C-alpha cells in the first residue's frame, strides 16, 4: 500500500503536467509525448486482463474471470476501442465491504487536439458488480457511459517496452499499462448483442433460473462513478 501511495504521488505530478498541456496548448505528437502510437493492446500489472477473445461474452452477458485484477485497453488506427476491467474497490467507512467490478465495453474514440481522449461506447457494454454488503449482492447491468480522459502519454520502459499512462476526467491516473500487442486484439468492432431486448439481472441468491430470482429491467451504468470514487486496490 505504501508503494502504491508513492506511485500515486508520482502519477499525480505527471497528471498535473498533462493537465497543463490539456488546458494550455494543443498536443504535439513526439517522442516525449508518445514514444510509439497508441494503437494496439495494453494491459496493466500482471497482464492477466486482456481485451478480445476470452474475457467477455457480450452475446449472453457473461465473463470469464481472469486470475488477477487489472485493466486492458485496445485502440485501432481507424477509431475503435475496447476496454476490459476487473477490479476490487474498498470502502473506507466499511473496510470489510470489498466490491468486485468486472466490466467490458467497446465503441469509437477520438484523440482530441488538446490531448484528451473521448470515448463513445456502443450500447452492448456491460458489467457485473459483486458487493457482499449490498441488498443485491451480485448483479449484471448495461455499462454504456461515455468516457473522457484528460490526457495520455507513452513512455519507453527500459525492460518492458512501451508504457501507456492515461488520466481520467478528474486527472486521476489509471494503472499504467504495457503494450502486449502492436496490433489490437479486440472482439468485432460492432454491436454484439441485440440491445432492444430487456436486460436480465441476476440477484445474489439465484443459483439457477427460477423465475422469482430474476428481475427484468435496465439500469444505466453508474459503474464509472463507482470505480472512480472508491479506492482502487490494483
Ligand atoms: C478538450 O477537447 C475536448 C474535445 O473537443 C473537449 O470536450 C474538452 O472540453 C477540451 N478540454 C479542455 C480542458 O478544454
Ligand atoms: C504518437 O501518436 C500519434 C497518434 O496516435 C501517432 O500518429 C504518432 O505516430 C505517434 N508517434 C510515434 C513516435 O509513434
Ligand atoms: C455464454 O457464451 C459463451 C461463448 O459463446 C459460452 O462459452 C458460455 O457457455 C455461455 N454462458 C452461458 C451461461 O450461457
Ligand atoms: C461506503 O459505505 C457506506 C456505508 O455502507 C455507504 O453509505 C457509502 O455509499 C459507501 N461508499 C461507496 C463509495 O461505495
Amino acid at each position: 500500500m505504501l508503494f502504491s501511495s508513492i506511485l500515486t504521488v508520482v502519477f499525480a505530478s505527471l497528471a498535473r503536467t498533462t493537465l497543463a498541456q490539456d488546458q494550455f496548448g494543443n498536443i504535439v505528437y513526439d517522442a516525449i509525448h508518445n514514444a510509439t502510437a497508441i494503437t494496439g493492446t495494453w494491459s496493466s500489472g500482471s497482464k492477466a486482463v486482456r481485451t478480445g477473445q476470452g474475457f467477455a461474452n457480450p452475446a449472453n452477458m457473461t465473463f470469464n474471470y481472469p486470475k488477477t485484477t487489472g485493466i486492458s485497453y485496445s485502440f485501432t488506427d481507424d477509431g475503435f476501442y475496447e476496454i476490459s476491467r476487473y477490479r476490487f474497490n474498498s470502502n473506507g467507512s466499511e473496510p470489510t465491504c470489498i466490491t468486485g467490478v468486472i466490466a467490458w465495453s467497446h465503441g469509437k474514440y477520438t484523440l482530441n487536439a488538446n490531448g484528451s481522449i473521448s470515448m463513445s461506447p456502443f450500447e452492448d457494454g456491460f458489467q457485473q458488480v459483486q458487493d457482499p454488503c449490498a441488498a443485491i449482492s451480485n448483479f449484471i447491468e448495461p455499462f454504456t457511459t461515455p468516457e473522457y480522459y484528460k490526457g495520455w502519454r507513452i513512455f519507453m520502459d527500459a525492460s518492458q517496452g512501451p508504457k501507456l499512462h492515461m488520466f481520467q476526467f478528474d486527472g486521476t491516473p489509471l494503472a499504467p499499462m504495457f503494450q502486449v500487442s502492436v496490433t489490437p486484439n479486440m472482439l468485432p468492432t460492432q454491436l454484439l448483442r441485440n440491445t432492444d431486448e430487456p436486460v436480465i439481472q441476476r440477484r445474489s441468491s439465484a443459483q439457477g433460473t427460477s423465475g422469482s430470482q430474476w428481475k427484468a429491467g435496465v439500469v444505466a451504468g453508474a459503474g464509472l462513478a463507482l470505480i472512480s470514487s472508491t479506492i482502487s486496490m490494483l
Side-chain angles (χ1 to χ4, degrees), residues 41 47-59 62-64 66 72 74 82-84 104 106 184-189 192:
T41 294
K47 302 171 189 161
V49 175
R50 302 284 179 99
T51 57
Q53 212 72 44
F55 180 81
N57 308 304
T62 60
F63 289 97
N64 308 318
S72 178
S74 279
E82 181 176 325
I83 307 175
S84 295
W104 176 88
H106 67 167
N185 293 319
M186 298 164 70
L187 295 181
T189 54
L192 297 176

Side-chain angles (χ1 to χ4, degrees), residues 29-31 34-38 111 152:
Y29 293 118
D30 57 16
N34 59 311
T36 186
I38 199 169
L111 299 180
W152 60 281

Side-chain angles (χ1 to χ4, degrees), residues 168-187:
Q168 298 175 63
F169 66 97
D170 60 354
T172 311
L174 294 183
M177 288 176 272
F178 291 98
Q179 192 168 40
V180 292
S181 175
V182 177
T183 50
N185 293 319
M186 298 164 70
L187 295 181

Side-chain angles (χ1 to χ4, degrees), residues 34-212:
N34 59 311
T36 186
I38 199 169
T39 51
T41 294
W42 304 83
S43 178
S44 70
S46 60
K47 302 171 189 161
V49 175
R50 302 284 179 99
T51 57
Q53 212 72 44
F55 180 81
N57 308 304
N60 61 17
M61 293 178 87
T62 60
F63 289 97
N64 308 318
Y65 275 74
K67 284 200 181 68
T68 53
T69 56
I71 55 175
S72 178
Y73 284 61
S74 279
F75 301 91
T76 69
D77 56 13
D78 60 349
F80 293 97
Y81 75 94
E82 181 176 325
I83 307 175
S84 295
R85 290 183 262 236
Y86 175 33
R87 40 204 324 183
F88 291 113
N89 298 319
S90 73
N91 180 334
S93 62
E94 296 282 343
T96 55
C97 295
I98 308 242
T99 305
V101 181
I102 187 164
W104 176 88
S105 59
H106 67 167
K108 298 217 75 172
Y109 77 96
T110 309
L111 299 180
N112 301 317
N114 63 15
S116 60
I117 306 178
S118 303
M119 298 183 183
S120 309
F122 298 147
E123 293 296 308
D124 54 357
F126 65 107
Q127 66 180 8
Q128 180 169 18
V129 179
Q130 300 190 54
D131 180 352
C133 303
I136 300 176
S137 63
N138 184 354
F139 58 93
I140 294 171
E141 64 185 357
F143 178 76
T144 56
T145 312
E147 302 191 29
Y148 177 80
Y149 293 87
K150 229 168 186 159
W152 60 281
R153 277 171 178 261
I154 298 169
F155 297 106
M156 196 57 77
D157 184 86
S159 58
Q160 301 209 65
K163 186 182 187 190
L164 172 63
H165 295 266
M166 288 174 64
F167 303 92
Q168 298 175 63
F169 66 97
D170 60 354
T172 311
L174 294 183
M177 288 176 272
F178 291 98
Q179 192 168 40
V180 292
S181 175
V182 177
T183 50
N185 293 319
M186 298 164 70
L187 295 181
T189 54
Q190 64 194 42
L191 203 61
L192 297 176
R193 182 178 64 253
N194 178 1
T195 54
D196 293 337
E197 289 170 3
V199 167
I200 304 299
Q201 290 186 56
R202 188 166 10 176
R203 287 175 176 270
S204 59
S205 52
Q207 297 300 322
T209 54
S210 132
S212 64

